[in-house]
DNA sequence: TCCTCTAAGTACCGTACGGTACGGTTCCCA
DNA sequence: TGGGAACCGTACCGTACGGTACTTAGAGGA
């Protein structure tokens, strides 16, 4: 299911992984400008020649950094347990918090900034990598959960895709762009996650007992 | 509803405005790398010395470009007319379409990419400019509309801020970031806007006649 | 007519980057 | 023990950029 990209998605040797980790550190610390081949060679105690042998050129290095980071972050597969309303609620809440945490991670932000900065130069190659390889996993996790919720009779919607986009928007709103622009993340992701899940269930959840699902305005 | 031009933009002389317009064109066309002082001087038929006299340095030029662009795009003030449910619905719909149109504009995307790319270098100065001066206007317009809706008894919520963030998330979802990463915009903003407004009214609108507000799932 | 101010055009400088080449060192394996 | 591959450190090259200085051309004003 994976390794469908044009990128070789090759494993990296321990030495290469250490260099890539250092590259990510430099990128997080100082952004695009701080990630120079000479600087990386110095910081990682390797030679520029090795960098070019391993990654081809600077763009190859950037692509390798994305692959490397995403090979480290893997979402755990949810086993298909029987869903109840409470379980669905909990899983949605965990998903929302996870999503916010991932998006506000400094490495994630740095890589997104990098890809956005390069998007007008390389035909969005990095951007596509980021969306395809990085987002697809978390998307799949949410879509599976949503589908499961529908099959269990707990959610209703026409298009799972549209419902997921709704959930995503409710969770993230403009936070991602604001953080990319340099704003500091929220203090409590938990409240934001809770609000988003409440709203999502109000929109797409089947009516529970009484007015439990018609909240969002009162307590 | 946007009005372009018409504002004399007292900040910049006509010559400077022409140069800034050319700078924006270069930025939209080729991104950060394409906006060099020599390139701008050549494209705009002005001297580099003039650029440095007018804008100080390259960062000053970038800041001036943001100011210039935002002096051109002004949102019209909504007069405080008496709101009905249909009027509120229409105004929300227009706002949603305007927001999507603004965010997917090539100049807006280019400036956001620029600010994001610089965010790790200049302490988010450009990002703050973009959020403060650019977004505040459209935020105010939406907040005014939402407040008006509450005062007319058509909307209910605890925090107007939170309600607006919900509206924003429903409208934009992850579209903005995806477009920043290089993805092509949606084909029809209208459907997206309509869905978002429906959902927002389901969450925060007072109950209307029958199942009119409980759509989004069945037919 | 002359003077001054503005700005275009160009030449220039220092720097920093991407990419290459080369010598020296370590380590593996025959 | 010898040879070769990998790799570090550094020196090097061409280029391109930000920023400055200088010369020239027009525009208005006294």
């Amino acid at each position: 299911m994976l390794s469908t990209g044009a990128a070789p998605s090759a494993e990296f040797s321990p030495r290469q992984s250490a260099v890539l980790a250092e590259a990510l550190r430099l990128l997080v610390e100082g952004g695009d400008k701080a990630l120079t081949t000479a600087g990386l060679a110095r910081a990682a105690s390797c030679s520029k020649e090795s960098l070019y042998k391993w990654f081809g050129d600077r763009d190859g290095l950037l692509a390798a950094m994305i692959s490397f980071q995403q090979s480290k972050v893997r979402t755990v597969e949810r086993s298909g347990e029987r869903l109840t309303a409470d379980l669905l609620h909990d899983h949605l809440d965990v998903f929302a918090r996870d999503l916010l945490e991932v998006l506000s991670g400094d490495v994630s932000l740095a890589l997104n900034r990098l890809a956005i900065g390069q998007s007008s130069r390389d035909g969005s190659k990095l951007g596509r990598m980021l969306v395809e390889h990085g987002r697809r996993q978390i998307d799949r996790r949410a879509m599976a959960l949503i589908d499961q919720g529908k099959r269990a009779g707990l959610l209703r919607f026409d298009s799972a895709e549209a419902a997921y986009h709704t959930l995503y928007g409710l969770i993230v709103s403009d936070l991602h762009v604001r953080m990319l622009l340099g704003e500091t993340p929220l203090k409590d992701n938990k409240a934001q996650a809770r609000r988003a899940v409440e709203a999502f269930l109000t929109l797409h959840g089947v009516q529970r007992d009484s007015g439990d699902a018609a909240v969002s305005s009162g307590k």
Side-chain angles (χ1 to χ4, degrees), chain A residues 15 19 37-38 40-51 54:
Chain A
R15 185 76 187 101
V19 170
T37 53
L40 175 58
R42 199 180 326 114
S45 293
C46 74
S47 70
K48 289 173 66 174
E49 199 168 22
S50 298
L51 294 180
W54 293 334

Side-chain angles (χ1 to χ4, degrees), chain A residues 3 5 14 31 46-47 76 118 121 124 144 157 191:
Chain A
S3 82
C46 74
S47 70
V76 285
Q118 303 278 331
R121 235 174 44 95
S124 320
F157 46 77

